[in-house]
Amino acid sequence: MEFFTEVINVMKLLVCGFGAGMAVIGGINFASGHSQHNASKKEDGMGQLMGGGGIFLIGILLVPKLAEFFSI
């Protein structure tokens, strides 16, 4: 059971890191599009920002539920 707990912790870290990185890149793209008055780049940046935030929340909220699933 320790193995599954460790795998879940690593998976949580990877998913949260990927989501946070995607959100940061989205924020940069949004700010760049805003400063250049480029609506398309702002839209893409906001999509990346929201998508990254969603992935981050999945890492925090849903991945730990896998630990409960494997402990049964």
Side-chain angles (χ1 to χ4, degrees):
M1 285 310 195
E2 277 186 43
F3 174 73
F4 287 120
T5 305
E6 194 63 33
V7 168
I8 297 297
N9 288 336
V10 169
M11 186 185 302
K12 179 180 174 181
L13 180 68
L14 290 174
V15 171
C16 287
F18 177 73
M22 189 172 170
V24 167
I25 290 172
I28 292 169
N29 285 339
F30 179 77
S32 176
H34 184 69
S35 67
Q36 296 173 359
H37 302 291
N38 186 345
S40 176
K41 196 166 188 178
K42 282 196 299 189
E43 186 178 330
D44 290 344
M46 185 56 71
Q48 289 174 339
L49 183 66
M50 292 296 129
I55 292 172
F56 184 80
L57 286 175
I58 286 171
I60 288 178
L61 300 175
L62 296 181
V63 172
K65 296 291 183 185
L66 291 173
E68 295 175 15
F69 178 74
F70 283 117
S71 68
I72 294 175

